[in-house]
Amino acid sequence: MGTCTNLDVPKTFGSLVFDDRQMRARLPEDVYRSLRKTIDENTDLQEDIADAVAAHMRDWAVEHGATHFTHWFQPLTGITAEKHDSFITPSPDGGVIMEFRGKELIKGEPDASSFPSGGLRATFEARGYTAWDPTSYAFIKDHTLCIPTAFCSYAGDALDKKTPLLRSMQALNRQAKRILKLFGKDVRNVRTSVGPEQEYFLIDKEVFEKRPDLVYTGRTLFGAMPPKGQELDDHYFGAIKPRVIAFMEDLNQELWKLGILAKTEHNEVAPAQHELAPIFSTTNVATDKNQLTMEIMRKVAGKHGLACLLHEKPFAGVNGSGKHNNWSMATDEGFNLLSPGETPYENAQFLLFLCAVIQAVDDYQDLLRLSVATAGNDHRLGANEAPPAIISVFLGDELTAILEAIKNDVPYEAAQKVTMKLGVHALPRFSRDNTDRNRTSPFAFTGNKFEFRSLGSSNSIACCNIMLNAAVAESLKQYADRLEGAEDFEQELHHLIREVIRKHERILFNGNGYGDEWVEEATKVRGLSNLKTTADAMPHLLDQKNMDMLIRHKVFTATEIYSRCEIMLENYCKTVNIEGHTMVDMARKNYLPAIEGYLAHLAGTISKMRAASDRVKCNYEISTMERLSELTDYILERVKDLEKALEGLKEYDNIQKTSVAVRDDVLPKMEHLRKHVDEAEMLMPEDLWPFPSYGKILFSVN
Ligand code: ADP
Ligand code: MG
C-alpha cells in the first residue's frame, strides 16, 4: 500500500543490516567463506577471522553513522536488552580511534545481575555472557551496531530465549535429516520457518497518557462500554485512516531498512486495531525480527503522536490482540516438508511429517498451551474471540477424509476402488482453499504450513517455537528409530502412519472451537486438556514426560526448566499485582474523589431546588445521588478487599501457591471493583469523570 513516492525500496531494503550482500562485498574472500561456513554449518569462528569480520563490520557501521555497539539479547523478561559501548579508544595523540575487535564481536559480558534467572544464577554471581549468533545478521538502530546474541551463565545455563530456540532447531534438524535419509534424501539442513502475523492497537498518545492503567499496565482496568464497539464489523479490512496510513508508511520504511519483510497490513476487527504480517523467515531470525518489529512499532507510533498497544487485551468488550505463528519445515534448498508432493513417494513423506506434527501437538498439548501463557493472554484464550485454551488441530475436510481412509484401510474416493497404499498410490489432490477456513482453531493446517493462533500479541514467538520444534523432533525421533530398523520400509511406513492416525485422531477437530459443546466434548469425551489460566498451565512444564522430552533433545537442562517455570509464574503474579495496585490507586485517588465531588454538587442542587420551590420532585438528582452514594460505599469495600488480597500474596512462600491466589483471589476482586466503578461512570457527567472514556480512546485517531 501507500505511495512512498521518493523511496527506492529495493535500494533501501536492508540498508541498515550487515547482511550477506554486505559481507560478500566487503569481506576478503577467505574471511567471507569461513564466516559463511560458520553460518551454514554451525562451526566455530576462529579468532583471526572474527577480528577481520569485526573490522569490516565496524567500518560499515561507522559509515552508516554508528558510534556505539551492543550485544542485543533476549533475557527471560520477554523483551530485548542492550548495553551500549562506544567504539572509541584513545589514541596516543590525544584523539580517539574507532575500534571494534573480534573478541568484542563474539563475546560480551553484560552485568546481568538484575535479569530474572529463576534461581539459575545467584545475584552475587552476576556474570553472564553473550555470544554472537552469526545466523541472525547484525543491524544498526539508534546509531548503535546491534549484534544478535545468545545469553548464558558461566556455568553454561541459558539465561535467554534464543539459546533454547537454537537448540530446538538443532534437535528438529537432527531428526528430520534421519527421516529424509530414509526417503533417499541427503540434505545439509532442515530449518523451521516462521511468519508471525502481529496485531496491535493504535490510539492517540495524549489520550493514552491520561490513563494511568494504560501507562502502568498496558491495558485499561476500568471503563464502561461505549455506545459503539465492534458490532458493525465496519473496521475489519476497512479503509485505513490518514494518520494510520502515515504511521504504516513510516513503519514500513523503518522495517525495510532493517531488512524486515513487512508485507501486508490491514485493519482488524476491533476499532483502532490493526495487523502487520511479514514474509516468513528462519525461526531464530523471525524471532529477532518480531522483537525488533514490536519495538519499532512503538517508536514510530510515538513520532506520529500515537501510542501502539501490544497488550493482549487492552479493552474489555472488544477483541484483544494475538499473533499467528505460521510454521513450517524446509530443507536448505527450500523444499517445504509440509507441502503435499507431486509423486506418491513424496506424498508418503509429506504424510509422515504431517503425522509428526499431529502427534507432537497431541502428546504435548500442555507445553504448547503453556508456551503462550501470560497474564495478558489469559484474557483472550477461551473468551470467544481467540482460540480456546484447549489445543486441537484443524486439517480441513479433504485432508481429514484422506487420513480417515488410511486409518480404516478403505478407498478415499468410492470411485477409486483400490485402497490407498502409501508410497504406491497417488494421494488425491486436495485444494488449498479447503484448509484455510476455520478461524476458531488454535492450530490449523493452511495448505503448506501450520498456523498456531493462540499466541498473545506481546508474546515472544521464541517460546512456542521452542516447544513446537522440540515436540516435533520427538515424534520424528520415534519414527526414525522404528523405520531405520524396518525390513520392509514401505510396509512399516504404512503401518506407522496408520497407527499414528488411530492413536492421535482425538486431537483433530474441524468444528467450531468457540462453542461450549466443544469444551464439553474435548474434555469429557476426548480427554484433551483445558488449562484455562497461566496458573493452571505453567506447572505442567515440570511434568516428568515434558521434562524428559526437553532434556532428551538437549533443548533445556532440568535446572533451566525449573527456572523458567519459576520466572513465568513470577511474571504472572507481578503483572497482576501491579494491575491490582494500579486499580487501588485510581479508585482511591481519582474515582472516589470525583464521585464524591459530584455527590456534593447534587446535594447542593437538591437543597437549592427545594428551597426555591416545594413542588420540585428532584427525581433525577435524588436517584442519581442515592445510587452513586451506594456505589462509593461498594467501591470502598471492594478497594479494601483488593488491598487485603494483594497484601495476602506476601504470605506465600512459593510461587505456585501465590499464582493460585492471584487466580482465585486477586483477579476476581479486581473484576468486582471494576464493575462498580464502570457503573458509576455511566451515571456521571463526562467532564467530571477523571479519565478518558472508552469511546474517546477507541475512536481517538482519525
Ligand atoms: P494468509 O494467512 O492471509 O493466507 P499466507 O498464508 O500467505 O497469508 O501467509 C501468512 C503468513 O504465513 C505470512 O507471514 C507468510 O509469510 C507465512 N508463511 C507462508 N508460507 C510459510 C512457510 N512455509 N513457513 C512459515 N511461514 C509461512
Ligand atoms: Mg493467516
Side-chain angles (χ1 to χ4, degrees), residues 655-699:
I655 195 71
Q656 288 203 23
K657 286 187 201 150
T658 317
S659 71
V660 169
V662 163
R663 180 193 68 193
D664 295 341
D665 198 21
V666 178
L667 282 166
K669 288 187 169 139
M670 285 165 55
E671 265 314 293
H672 216 153
L673 169 60
R674 173 181 187 145
K675 214 178 94 205
H676 294 307
V677 174
D678 289 358
E679 189 189 334
E681 182 179 350
M682 297 301 286
L683 297 173
M684 291 274 294
E686 186 165 0
D687 58 336
L688 297 184
W689 198 242
F691 304 115
S693 66
Y694 262 32
K696 281 239 172 72
I697 307 173
L698 284 169
F699 299 94

Short mmCIF file of all heavy atoms in Angstrom, two decimals, residues 655-699:
data_model
loop_
_atom_site.label_atom_id
_atom_site.label_comp_id
_atom_site.label_asym_id
_atom_site.label_seq_id
_atom_site.Cartn_x
_atom_site.Cartn_y
_atom_site.Cartn_z
N ILE A 655 5.95 -19.84 44.68
CA ILE A 655 5.34 -19.07 43.61
C ILE A 655 4.09 -19.76 43.06
O ILE A 655 3.16 -19.11 42.60
CB ILE A 655 6.37 -18.76 42.50
CG1 ILE A 655 5.88 -17.66 41.56
CG2 ILE A 655 6.74 -20.00 41.71
CD1 ILE A 655 5.85 -16.30 42.17
N GLN A 656 4.04 -21.08 43.13
CA GLN A 656 2.83 -21.76 42.64
C GLN A 656 1.63 -21.41 43.51
O GLN A 656 0.54 -21.16 43.00
CB GLN A 656 3.05 -23.27 42.59
CG GLN A 656 3.99 -23.66 41.47
CD GLN A 656 3.80 -25.11 41.03
OE1 GLN A 656 2.75 -25.71 41.22
NE2 GLN A 656 4.84 -25.67 40.43
N LYS A 657 1.84 -21.38 44.81
CA LYS A 657 0.74 -21.01 45.70
C LYS A 657 0.34 -19.56 45.46
O LYS A 657 -0.85 -19.23 45.43
CB LYS A 657 1.17 -21.19 47.17
CG LYS A 657 1.23 -22.65 47.60
CD LYS A 657 1.49 -22.72 49.10
CE LYS A 657 2.07 -24.07 49.47
NZ LYS A 657 2.96 -24.01 50.63
N THR A 658 1.32 -18.71 45.29
CA THR A 658 1.00 -17.30 45.02
C THR A 658 0.16 -17.18 43.75
O THR A 658 -0.83 -16.45 43.72
CB THR A 658 2.29 -16.46 44.85
OG1 THR A 658 3.22 -16.84 45.85
CG2 THR A 658 2.00 -14.98 44.95
N SER A 659 0.56 -17.93 42.73
CA SER A 659 -0.16 -17.80 41.45
C SER A 659 -1.61 -18.28 41.57
O SER A 659 -2.50 -17.73 40.93
CB SER A 659 0.58 -18.55 40.33
OG SER A 659 0.48 -19.94 40.52
N VAL A 660 -1.83 -19.29 42.39
CA VAL A 660 -3.21 -19.77 42.60
C VAL A 660 -4.02 -18.69 43.32
O VAL A 660 -5.18 -18.43 42.98
CB VAL A 660 -3.20 -21.10 43.39
CG1 VAL A 660 -4.60 -21.47 43.84
CG2 VAL A 660 -2.62 -22.21 42.51
N ALA A 661 -3.40 -18.02 44.29
CA ALA A 661 -4.10 -16.94 44.99
C ALA A 661 -4.38 -15.77 44.05
O ALA A 661 -5.43 -15.14 44.14
CB ALA A 661 -3.29 -16.48 46.19
N VAL A 662 -3.47 -15.51 43.16
CA VAL A 662 -3.69 -14.45 42.18
C VAL A 662 -4.92 -14.80 41.34
O VAL A 662 -5.80 -13.97 41.11
CB VAL A 662 -2.44 -14.27 41.27
CG1 VAL A 662 -2.77 -13.51 40.02
CG2 VAL A 662 -1.33 -13.57 42.05
N ARG A 663 -4.95 -16.05 40.88
CA ARG A 663 -6.06 -16.50 40.04
C ARG A 663 -7.40 -16.49 40.79
O ARG A 663 -8.40 -16.00 40.28
CB ARG A 663 -5.76 -17.93 39.55
CG ARG A 663 -6.82 -18.55 38.67
CD ARG A 663 -6.58 -20.05 38.49
NE ARG A 663 -6.80 -20.76 39.74
CZ ARG A 663 -6.44 -22.04 39.96
NH1 ARG A 663 -5.81 -22.72 39.02
NH2 ARG A 663 -6.68 -22.61 41.12
N ASP A 664 -7.39 -17.03 42.01
CA ASP A 664 -8.66 -17.25 42.72
C ASP A 664 -9.10 -16.09 43.60
O ASP A 664 -10.26 -15.98 43.94
CB ASP A 664 -8.57 -18.51 43.58
CG ASP A 664 -8.39 -19.76 42.73
OD1 ASP A 664 -8.70 -19.68 41.53
OD2 ASP A 664 -7.92 -20.78 43.27
N ASP A 665 -8.16 -15.27 43.99
CA ASP A 665 -8.50 -14.23 44.94
C ASP A 665 -8.36 -12.83 44.33
O ASP A 665 -9.32 -12.06 44.31
CB ASP A 665 -7.56 -14.38 46.16
CG ASP A 665 -8.10 -13.64 47.37
OD1 ASP A 665 -9.32 -13.38 47.41
OD2 ASP A 665 -7.31 -13.30 48.27
N VAL A 666 -7.19 -12.53 43.81
CA VAL A 666 -6.94 -11.17 43.35
C VAL A 666 -7.75 -10.83 42.09
O VAL A 666 -8.46 -9.83 42.05
CB VAL A 666 -5.43 -10.94 43.09
CG1 VAL A 666 -5.19 -9.54 42.55
CG2 VAL A 666 -4.64 -11.17 44.37
N LEU A 667 -7.65 -11.68 41.07
CA LEU A 667 -8.32 -11.35 39.81
C LEU A 667 -9.84 -11.18 39.96
O LEU A 667 -10.40 -10.22 39.44
CB LEU A 667 -7.96 -12.38 38.73
CG LEU A 667 -6.57 -12.17 38.10
CD1 LEU A 667 -6.13 -13.41 37.32
CD2 LEU A 667 -6.54 -10.95 37.20
N PRO A 668 -10.52 -12.09 40.68
CA PRO A 668 -11.96 -11.88 40.86
C PRO A 668 -12.27 -10.58 41.60
O PRO A 668 -13.24 -9.89 41.28
CB PRO A 668 -12.41 -13.08 41.70
CG PRO A 668 -11.36 -14.12 41.48
CD PRO A 668 -10.08 -13.38 41.23
N LYS A 669 -11.41 -10.20 42.54
CA LYS A 669 -11.67 -8.96 43.28
C LYS A 669 -11.46 -7.73 42.40
O LYS A 669 -12.14 -6.72 42.56
CB LYS A 669 -10.81 -8.91 44.53
CG LYS A 669 -11.37 -9.91 45.54
CD LYS A 669 -10.75 -9.87 46.89
CE LYS A 669 -11.61 -10.75 47.80
NZ LYS A 669 -10.83 -11.55 48.72
N MET A 670 -10.53 -7.85 41.48
CA MET A 670 -10.33 -6.74 40.53
C MET A 670 -11.57 -6.56 39.66
O MET A 670 -12.03 -5.45 39.41
CB MET A 670 -9.10 -7.02 39.66
CG MET A 670 -7.78 -6.82 40.39
SD MET A 670 -6.34 -7.55 39.54
CE MET A 670 -6.44 -6.79 37.93
N GLU A 671 -12.10 -7.70 39.20
CA GLU A 671 -13.31 -7.67 38.37
C GLU A 671 -14.46 -6.99 39.11
O GLU A 671 -15.19 -6.18 38.57
CB GLU A 671 -13.74 -9.11 38.04
CG GLU A 671 -13.25 -9.63 36.72
CD GLU A 671 -13.45 -8.63 35.60
OE1 GLU A 671 -14.62 -8.35 35.26
OE2 GLU A 671 -12.44 -8.10 35.09
N HIS A 672 -14.59 -7.38 40.36
CA HIS A 672 -15.66 -6.89 41.20
C HIS A 672 -15.59 -5.36 41.37
O HIS A 672 -16.58 -4.65 41.24
CB HIS A 672 -15.53 -7.57 42.57
CG HIS A 672 -16.85 -7.87 43.18
ND1 HIS A 672 -17.05 -8.89 44.07
CD2 HIS A 672 -18.03 -7.27 43.04
CE1 HIS A 672 -18.32 -8.89 44.45
NE2 HIS A 672 -18.93 -7.93 43.83
N LEU A 673 -14.39 -4.90 41.66
CA LEU A 673 -14.19 -3.46 41.82
C LEU A 673 -14.53 -2.72 40.53
O LEU A 673 -15.23 -1.72 40.52
CB LEU A 673 -12.74 -3.19 42.24
CG LEU A 673 -12.27 -1.73 42.21
CD1 LEU A 673 -13.12 -0.87 43.15
CD2 LEU A 673 -10.80 -1.62 42.61
N ARG A 674 -14.05 -3.29 39.44
CA ARG A 674 -14.27 -2.65 38.15
C ARG A 674 -15.77 -2.47 37.86
O ARG A 674 -16.19 -1.43 37.35
CB ARG A 674 -13.63 -3.50 37.05
CG ARG A 674 -13.98 -2.97 35.67
CD ARG A 674 -13.40 -3.75 34.54
NE ARG A 674 -13.70 -2.99 33.33
CZ ARG A 674 -12.92 -2.91 32.28
NH1 ARG A 674 -11.78 -3.56 32.25
NH2 ARG A 674 -13.27 -2.20 31.23
N LYS A 675 -16.52 -3.50 38.18
CA LYS A 675 -17.95 -3.47 37.86
C LYS A 675 -18.62 -2.24 38.47
O LYS A 675 -19.39 -1.54 37.80
CB LYS A 675 -18.60 -4.75 38.40
CG LYS A 675 -19.72 -5.28 37.55
CD LYS A 675 -20.28 -6.57 38.11
CE LYS A 675 -21.44 -6.23 38.98
NZ LYS A 675 -21.83 -7.10 40.03
N HIS A 676 -18.31 -1.97 39.71
CA HIS A 676 -18.95 -0.83 40.38
C HIS A 676 -18.47 0.50 39.83
O HIS A 676 -19.26 1.43 39.67
CB HIS A 676 -18.69 -0.91 41.88
CG HIS A 676 -19.34 -2.09 42.53
ND1 HIS A 676 -20.68 -2.36 42.40
CD2 HIS A 676 -18.84 -3.07 43.30
CE1 HIS A 676 -20.98 -3.46 43.05
NE2 HIS A 676 -19.87 -3.92 43.61
N VAL A 677 -17.19 0.57 39.56
CA VAL A 677 -16.67 1.83 39.02
C VAL A 677 -17.27 2.10 37.64
O VAL A 677 -17.69 3.22 37.32
CB VAL A 677 -15.12 1.82 38.95
CG1 VAL A 677 -14.61 3.07 38.25
CG2 VAL A 677 -14.53 1.70 40.35
N ASP A 678 -17.36 1.03 36.82
CA ASP A 678 -17.93 1.22 35.48
C ASP A 678 -19.39 1.65 35.55
O ASP A 678 -19.86 2.43 34.72
CB ASP A 678 -17.80 -0.08 34.65
CG ASP A 678 -16.35 -0.36 34.26
OD1 ASP A 678 -15.48 0.46 34.59
OD2 ASP A 678 -16.10 -1.41 33.64
N GLU A 679 -20.09 1.15 36.53
CA GLU A 679 -21.49 1.57 36.67
C GLU A 679 -21.55 3.06 37.03
O GLU A 679 -22.34 3.81 36.48
CB GLU A 679 -22.22 0.74 37.74
CG GLU A 679 -23.72 1.05 37.71
CD GLU A 679 -24.51 0.44 38.85
OE1 GLU A 679 -24.07 -0.59 39.41
OE2 GLU A 679 -25.57 1.02 39.18
N ALA A 680 -20.67 3.46 37.94
CA ALA A 680 -20.64 4.88 38.33
C ALA A 680 -20.34 5.76 37.13
O ALA A 680 -20.92 6.84 36.97
CB ALA A 680 -19.61 5.09 39.44
N GLU A 681 -19.44 5.28 36.26
CA GLU A 681 -19.08 6.08 35.08
C GLU A 681 -20.31 6.43 34.25
O GLU A 681 -20.44 7.54 33.73
CB GLU A 681 -18.06 5.32 34.21
CG GLU A 681 -17.62 6.12 32.99
CD GLU A 681 -16.60 5.42 32.10
OE1 GLU A 681 -16.07 4.36 32.51
OE2 GLU A 681 -16.34 5.93 31.00
N MET A 682 -21.23 5.46 34.16
CA MET A 682 -22.43 5.67 33.35
C MET A 682 -23.37 6.71 33.98
O MET A 682 -24.24 7.25 33.30
CB MET A 682 -23.20 4.35 33.16
CG MET A 682 -22.45 3.29 32.39
SD MET A 682 -21.97 3.81 30.75
CE MET A 682 -23.56 3.74 29.90
N LEU A 683 -23.20 6.96 35.27
CA LEU A 683 -24.10 7.90 35.95
C LEU A 683 -23.51 9.30 36.08
O LEU A 683 -24.18 10.24 36.49
CB LEU A 683 -24.44 7.38 37.36
CG LEU A 683 -25.20 6.05 37.41
CD1 LEU A 683 -25.33 5.56 38.84
CD2 LEU A 683 -26.58 6.22 36.79
N MET A 684 -22.24 9.42 35.74
CA MET A 684 -21.55 10.69 35.97
C MET A 684 -21.49 11.53 34.70
O MET A 684 -21.42 11.00 33.60
CB MET A 684 -20.11 10.39 36.40
CG MET A 684 -19.97 9.78 37.77
SD MET A 684 -19.91 11.03 39.07
CE MET A 684 -18.36 11.86 38.69
N PRO A 685 -21.47 12.87 34.87
CA PRO A 685 -21.25 13.73 33.71
C PRO A 685 -19.85 13.47 33.16
O PRO A 685 -18.90 13.30 33.94
CB PRO A 685 -21.32 15.15 34.27
CG PRO A 685 -21.81 15.02 35.66
CD PRO A 685 -21.57 13.64 36.12
N GLU A 686 -19.72 13.45 31.86
CA GLU A 686 -18.45 13.09 31.25
C GLU A 686 -17.30 14.00 31.69
O GLU A 686 -16.19 13.53 31.96
CB GLU A 686 -18.59 13.14 29.72
CG GLU A 686 -17.35 12.63 29.03
CD GLU A 686 -17.57 12.32 27.57
OE1 GLU A 686 -18.70 12.50 27.07
OE2 GLU A 686 -16.59 11.92 26.93
N ASP A 687 -17.58 15.29 31.80
CA ASP A 687 -16.47 16.20 32.12
C ASP A 687 -15.99 16.09 33.57
O ASP A 687 -14.94 16.61 33.92
CB ASP A 687 -16.84 17.65 31.76
CG ASP A 687 -18.08 18.11 32.50
OD1 ASP A 687 -18.89 17.25 32.90
OD2 ASP A 687 -18.24 19.33 32.70
N LEU A 688 -16.77 15.42 34.40
CA LEU A 688 -16.31 15.24 35.78
C LEU A 688 -15.62 13.89 35.99
O LEU A 688 -15.13 13.58 37.06
CB LEU A 688 -17.48 15.37 36.76
CG LEU A 688 -18.17 16.73 36.80
CD1 LEU A 688 -19.25 16.76 37.88
CD2 LEU A 688 -17.16 17.85 37.06
N TRP A 689 -15.65 13.06 34.94
CA TRP A 689 -15.00 11.74 35.07
C TRP A 689 -13.50 11.93 34.89
O TRP A 689 -13.07 12.64 33.97
CB TRP A 689 -15.59 10.79 34.02
CG TRP A 689 -15.35 9.34 34.33
CD1 TRP A 689 -14.64 8.46 33.57
CD2 TRP A 689 -15.80 8.61 35.48
NE1 TRP A 689 -14.63 7.23 34.16
CE2 TRP A 689 -15.32 7.29 35.35
CE3 TRP A 689 -16.53 8.93 36.62
CZ2 TRP A 689 -15.56 6.30 36.30
CZ3 TRP A 689 -16.78 7.95 37.57
CH2 TRP A 689 -16.31 6.65 37.41
N PRO A 690 -12.70 11.35 35.77
CA PRO A 690 -11.27 11.72 35.76
C PRO A 690 -10.46 11.22 34.57
O PRO A 690 -9.38 11.74 34.32
CB PRO A 690 -10.74 11.12 37.06
CG PRO A 690 -11.73 10.10 37.49
CD PRO A 690 -13.05 10.50 36.92
N PHE A 691 -10.93 10.21 33.85
CA PHE A 691 -10.11 9.65 32.77
C PHE A 691 -10.91 9.56 31.47
O PHE A 691 -12.13 9.40 31.50
CB PHE A 691 -9.61 8.26 33.16
CG PHE A 691 -8.86 8.23 34.45
CD1 PHE A 691 -9.36 7.54 35.55
CD2 PHE A 691 -7.65 8.91 34.58
CE1 PHE A 691 -8.67 7.52 36.75
CE2 PHE A 691 -6.95 8.90 35.78
CZ PHE A 691 -7.46 8.20 36.87
N PRO A 692 -10.22 9.60 30.33
CA PRO A 692 -10.93 9.47 29.05
C PRO A 692 -11.72 8.17 28.96
O PRO A 692 -11.27 7.13 29.45
CB PRO A 692 -9.80 9.48 28.01
CG PRO A 692 -8.61 10.00 28.69
CD PRO A 692 -8.77 9.76 30.15
N SER A 693 -12.90 8.26 28.38
CA SER A 693 -13.78 7.09 28.27
C SER A 693 -13.30 6.16 27.16
O SER A 693 -12.46 6.52 26.34
CB SER A 693 -15.18 7.57 27.93
OG SER A 693 -15.15 8.14 26.64
N TYR A 694 -13.87 4.96 27.14
CA TYR A 694 -13.57 4.00 26.06
C TYR A 694 -13.81 4.62 24.69
O TYR A 694 -13.03 4.46 23.77
CB TYR A 694 -14.44 2.74 26.22
CG TYR A 694 -13.72 1.59 26.90
CD1 TYR A 694 -12.76 1.83 27.88
CD2 TYR A 694 -13.99 0.27 26.56
CE1 TYR A 694 -12.10 0.79 28.50
CE2 TYR A 694 -13.34 -0.80 27.18
CZ TYR A 694 -12.40 -0.54 28.15
OH TYR A 694 -11.75 -1.57 28.75
N GLY A 695 -14.94 5.32 24.58
CA GLY A 695 -15.28 5.94 23.30
C GLY A 695 -14.17 6.88 22.84
O GLY A 695 -13.73 6.86 21.70
N LYS A 696 -13.70 7.70 23.79
CA LYS A 696 -12.63 8.66 23.47
C LYS A 696 -11.35 7.94 23.06
O LYS A 696 -10.63 8.39 22.18
CB LYS A 696 -12.34 9.53 24.69
CG LYS A 696 -13.34 10.64 24.90
CD LYS A 696 -12.62 12.00 24.89
CE LYS A 696 -13.59 13.14 24.91
NZ LYS A 696 -14.24 13.28 26.23
N ILE A 697 -11.05 6.84 23.75
CA ILE A 697 -9.79 6.15 23.45
C ILE A 697 -9.88 5.42 22.12
O ILE A 697 -9.01 5.54 21.26
CB ILE A 697 -9.45 5.11 24.54
CG1 ILE A 697 -9.47 5.73 25.93
CG2 ILE A 697 -8.09 4.48 24.27
CD1 ILE A 697 -9.32 4.73 27.06
N LEU A 698 -10.96 4.67 21.93
CA LEU A 698 -11.05 3.80 20.76
C LEU A 698 -11.27 4.56 19.46
O LEU A 698 -10.94 4.07 18.39
CB LEU A 698 -12.18 2.78 20.95
CG LEU A 698 -11.85 1.64 21.92
CD1 LEU A 698 -13.11 0.85 22.25
CD2 LEU A 698 -10.79 0.73 21.33
N PHE A 699 -11.86 5.73 19.59
CA PHE A 699 -12.11 6.49 18.37
C PHE A 699 -11.29 7.78 18.37
O PHE A 699 -11.70 8.80 17.87
CB PHE A 699 -13.61 6.76 18.21
CG PHE A 699 -14.42 5.48 18.11
CD1 PHE A 699 -15.00 4.90 19.23
CD2 PHE A 699 -14.55 4.83 16.88
CE1 PHE A 699 -15.71 3.70 19.14
CE2 PHE A 699 -15.26 3.64 16.78
CZ PHE A 699 -15.84 3.07 17.92
#
